[in-house]
Amino acid sequence: SYAAGTLETTATTDEDGHRTCSYTDAEGRTVLAVAYDGEERMETYYVYDGLGRLCHVLPPEASHQLATQEEAIDATVLKRLAYSYTYDRLDRMVVKQTPGCEPVYMVYDKYNRMVLSQDGVQRASDAKKWSYSVYDYNDRTVESGELVLAAAMTHAQLQEAAWDVEGYLPAGTRTPLQYTAYDGLSLIHI
């Protein structure tokens, strides 16, 4: 909830006559976007945590269904219709959930490079199956593929193991799916 007069409103009309209004807070973050289709008002809410990180996006259908509930927020509505994001203590996105999908887990090494990720399809077929990336000394991806862990580990266990390791890759069977080679030339910034 925001006090009266604390949100900035920007209203636009496109070439087809569709109106939109966006509301931003004092930090410049969009908290509500409203699109009008004739007289129909479609609201998309953006929810931030105490550190200003985007945690949820509630598209119009989710906003509508949640607004009609008199009880507490229905987690099934959020899972089915909302975008959700979770961050670690270094502000890296570690869980991303899109509407109707299982969460995507992400694991980072000590240089903040995503070294492992796992989506719901991988988890459903084999909880030990993850996508991996290997980087060169310029932080460019040189190999990516699938990894089947030698032993079952949770997302939290993998992140903890990767926390202080450069290029973390747990034991298991790797199936490279892509190699990328770079020439010796570097981009020169002028």
Side-chain angles (χ1 to χ4, degrees), residues 13-190:
T13 303
D14 69 14
E15 62 276 0
D16 295 322
H18 297 111
R19 295 181 305 138
T20 60
C21 291
S22 77
Y23 300 85
T24 55
D25 65 10
E27 305 296 320
R29 299 175 299 219
T30 300
V31 295
L32 172 62
V34 181
Y36 297 91
D37 185 10
E39 293 302 313
E40 185 179 4
R41 178 182 166 105
M42 296 170 286
E43 300 174 342
T44 301
Y45 287 89
Y46 300 85
V47 181
Y48 301 87
D49 66 12
L51 298 175
R53 301 175 298 200
L54 182 63
C55 291
H56 302 285
V57 177
L58 306 173
E61 184 60 25
S63 301
H64 173 72
Q65 287 192 23
L66 292 171
T68 60
Q69 293 179 352
E70 295 181 19
E71 302 293 320
I73 292 177
D74 185 350
T76 59
V77 171
L78 289 177
K79 183 175 181 176
R80 204 168 35 85
L81 299 172
Y83 298 83
S84 298
Y85 311 99
T86 305
Y87 304 86
D88 68 8
R89 61 186 182 245
L90 294 180
D91 292 336
R92 302 176 299 198
M93 185 185 303
V94 293
V95 180
K96 174 176 71 172
Q97 185 156 0
T98 57
C101 297
E102 291 299 314
V104 174
Y105 299 139
M106 295 164 263
V107 174
Y108 299 84
D109 71 2
K110 76 177 191 174
Y111 293 119
N112 298 323
R113 302 176 300 195
M114 189 185 335
V115 291
L116 296 170
S117 66
Q118 183 189 55
D119 63 27
V121 173
Q122 289 172 312
R123 215 169 15 265
S125 72
D126 183 351
K128 296 190 293 182
K129 188 182 288 186
W130 290 75
S131 295
Y132 73 90
S133 294
V134 175
Y135 299 86
D136 69 6
Y137 59 90
N138 285 325
D139 294 334
R140 300 177 297 195
T141 305
V142 294
E143 180 184 328
S144 59
E146 271 193 341
L147 168 71
V148 177
L149 301 174
M153 294 177 75
T154 66
H155 175 227
Q157 289 170 326
L158 287 165
Q159 185 57 70
E160 191 58 38
W163 194 257
D164 288 326
V165 179
E166 176 184 350
Y168 175 73
L169 206 53
T173 304
R174 286 183 0 198
T175 304
L177 299 175
Q178 181 173 333
Y179 292 103
T180 305
Y182 301 93
D183 64 20
L185 301 176
S186 297
L187 179 62
I188 299 172
H189 296 283
I190 299 176

